[in-house]
Amino acid sequence: MSVASTDIQNLAVDTIRTLSMDAVQTANSGHPGTPMALAPIAYQLFNHTMQYDPAQPLWPNRDRFVLSCGHASMLLYSTLHLAGVKATDKSGKVLDELSITLEDIKNFRQLGSVCAGHPEYAEAAGIETTTGPLGAGVSNSVGMAISQKWLAKNYNTADHTLFDYNIFALCSDGDLMEGVACEAASLAGHLQLDNLCWLYDDNSITIEGDTDLSFSENVGERFKGLGWNVVHVADVNDLSSLADAIDQFRACEDKPTIIICKTIIGYGAPNKQNTHGAHGAPLGWDEVELAKKSYGFPPEEKFHIPDGVIEHFREHLGNRGQAAYASWQETWNAYQKANPKQAAELQSVFDRKLPAGWDKDIPEFEASEKGDATRNSSGKVLNAIAANVPFMIGGSADLAPSNKSDLKFEGAGDFLPQHYGGRNLHFGIREHAMAGAVNGICLSGLRGYAATFFVFTDYMRGAMRLSAIMHQPTLYILTHDSIGVGEDGPTHQPVEHLTACRAIPGLNVFRPGDANEVAECYRTAMQIDDHPSAMVLSRQNMPTLCRTKYAPAAGCAKGAYVLSDCEGTPDVILMGSGSELGLCVSAAEELTSQGKNVRVVSVPCMELFEDQSQAYRDQVLPPEVTNRVAVEAGIRMCWDRWIGSQGKFVGMSGYGASGPYTEVYEHFGITKDAVVAAAK
Ligand SMILES: Cc1ncc(C[n+]2csc(CCOP(=O)(O)OP(=O)(O)O)c2C)c(N)n1
Ligand SMILES: [Mg+2]
């Protein structure tokens, strides 16, 4: 049926609103007020701005839309539905069905619906990243903008523009109050990412009430100070002013743009002043009906899509996107002929595959009593891999010389303002934004890595968790892994961090025990493209084990393996990771010389060991051998499962101390003698 409003644009905007209201009200859960207010922005972006083909939602040159205020998820779902965005299967093939059906919307926030409470990446095509924790989405958007610049610089040619997409992120007061957003904005401003546009919902309200309570800064002035182009829109319902603002974004050549949009939460609902109703709670059907009346919609009809709205999206977004995609395909076809080598690299990016020969130069390390710090071996292995994975980029939060995370080979280069071709990123001291940005880099198809001291994972844990939720292969290079840091003392000595990181479901935590384990852990991690990996590496040296005497490090692929064994049933199993593996080895030698049967098990990655068959796990840790000792310079918690109720643990139970690391190890009793004593 048709409704009173004759203006098709308003009708489309109001349909986004009413679908969102009905979904929230039906679920009786969620935030309706923000989608109602922001509907004009979503409409203007999708239908009149973005280079986006709803029939090709994974098109590499599509503009990205990030809904950083994930609590307004219905805004995204309603818009993707009306825009006719197609579904894709796991392999990325486009299906002849909608990504978000009306049925999904009717089941908003119900189990099994792709319309989850907050947008979940990969649940439905068109959701570019998982948002919900405020600030996360905008930090991802900076990584996406970095990726576009990098791809354009490295792969566009004078004849062929493959990458000219922009990134739009919609954010709220909460987003901009979060520290991570300011870190990310500071980085984006520094890098002069003019392909990045944030639209800020300046509605002067958060959950507790008016922003007067807690947020009175001048956001525009702040962003000017951060090097951004600041544009204002007085009323988002004036679509032409939005269009003008977006033109100002396009015209700006050397800065990211923030469009500060005045909006009224719960727009159209008569009692919108009721902050509760507009925020964490549905409006109630009465209010919903009144709002629908104010839009000229049939008040009692639910999930109503007036005639012409879907056609209107098809006519604008659909046609524009189809033409843009077709013309890009022509460019891509020509590019493949003209630049086969680069095209093959890009195909790997598009397919999320590692190129052939990616691991051919991973070094093998010679046995050495003196050995090396695993951070040093990591630097060598990272460089050997990255040299053969041309789309691997990353960097450190100002600790590259300590993290050994710099790519040093010929041509690696730095990624700097207006010099966007380099592979070494410089995140500055912004750990959380770094991890958020690297998630955005991985979401863009590149293999991104982020490096810092292990102890500062505390500062980026939110983003690490999101890379696991999103199944991104984000690589975290984390050095200075324990009290082995020595003189820097307790603030710099991780204690609970191994357990804390292992507690993040889906994050593989690797703590290699010598140089060859570093190589094998990298080899394993690189091939896992649906989980993030953390490489936890030492500052101090550890011996490089002789792999003819001990089992090959290839066992790392299984998470844990028997490093050295005895005849018959072991009297004791010693197990450890990282720098404490060497303690297990020397304790085993001593115990063996005293006539004990000793097995040493190396445990570089508990998560992968957990994934092995029961048979393999029992083979490594025979259930009948209950005398087990685990050694790790961290807390005991996650070892209990492996050592069992009879087991002993040699490690930490509180914070570390400042001093030369050998003395600190002695002080806390993490020594060969302690392991020998525990074994007895
Ligand atoms: C990191 C984080 N902290 C807290 C929340 C819970 N939360 C959801 S929305 C919101 C604030 C809403 O205010 P605003 O960001 O201005 O959005 P609006 O209500 O105006 O849409 C909060 C605190 C969250 N989602 N993420
Ligand atoms: Mg707000």
Side-chain angles (χ1 to χ4, degrees), residues 172-174 201 203-206 211 279:
S172 64
D173 297 307
D201 174 23
N203 65 1
S204 303
I205 201 164
T206 63
T211 45
H279 275 88

Side-chain angles (χ1 to χ4, degrees), residues 149-291:
K149 288 288 183 195
W150 189 86
L151 285 165
K153 180 70 193 170
N154 283 290
Y155 293 100
N156 286 352
T157 64
D159 297 331
H160 306 108
T161 299
L162 286 174
F163 302 104
D164 60 359
Y165 60 94
N166 291 316
I167 292 86
F168 297 93
L170 189 44
C171 56
S172 64
D173 297 307
D175 281 299
L176 293 195
M177 282 193 232
E178 288 292 351
V180 64
C182 197
E183 293 175 21
S186 169
L187 180 62
H190 169 77
L191 290 171
Q192 305 175 9
L193 300 174
D194 60 8
N195 55 349
L196 179 64
C197 181
W198 290 3
L199 296 106
Y200 161 41
D201 174 23
D202 181 12
N203 65 1
S204 303
I205 201 164
T206 63
I207 287 189
E208 290 184 7
D210 199 288
T211 45
D212 279 355
L213 285 170
S214 60
F215 193 43
S216 46
E217 72 199 30
N218 185 328
V219 171
E221 289 301 316
R222 165 153 69 106
F223 274 75
K224 269 186 205 151
L226 293 170
W228 285 55
N229 172 37
V230 180
V231 179
H232 291 269
V233 168
D235 176 8
V236 289
N237 293 295
D238 175 1
L239 293 179
S240 67
S241 69
L242 266 179
D244 286 349
I246 291 163
D247 285 345
Q248 291 180 56
F249 154 63
R250 291 197 195 287
C252 178
E253 300 254 289
D254 55 2
K255 292 184 178 79
T257 292
I258 184 166
I259 305 178
I260 302 181
C261 305
K262 277 280 173 210
T263 78
I264 298 171
I265 197 162
Y267 182 84
N271 293 324
K272 59 188 175 279
Q273 293 83 352
N274 171 348
T275 58
H276 254 300
H279 275 88
L283 297 167
W285 283 117
D286 291 351
E287 188 90 353
V288 167
E289 286 181 17
L290 289 172

Side-chain angles (χ1 to χ4, degrees), residues 68-69 132-140 172 174-176 178-181 184 198 432 436:
S68 196
C69 46
L134 290 162
V138 284
S139 72
N140 299 154
S172 64
D175 281 299
L176 293 195
E178 288 292 351
V180 64
W198 290 3
H432 197 175

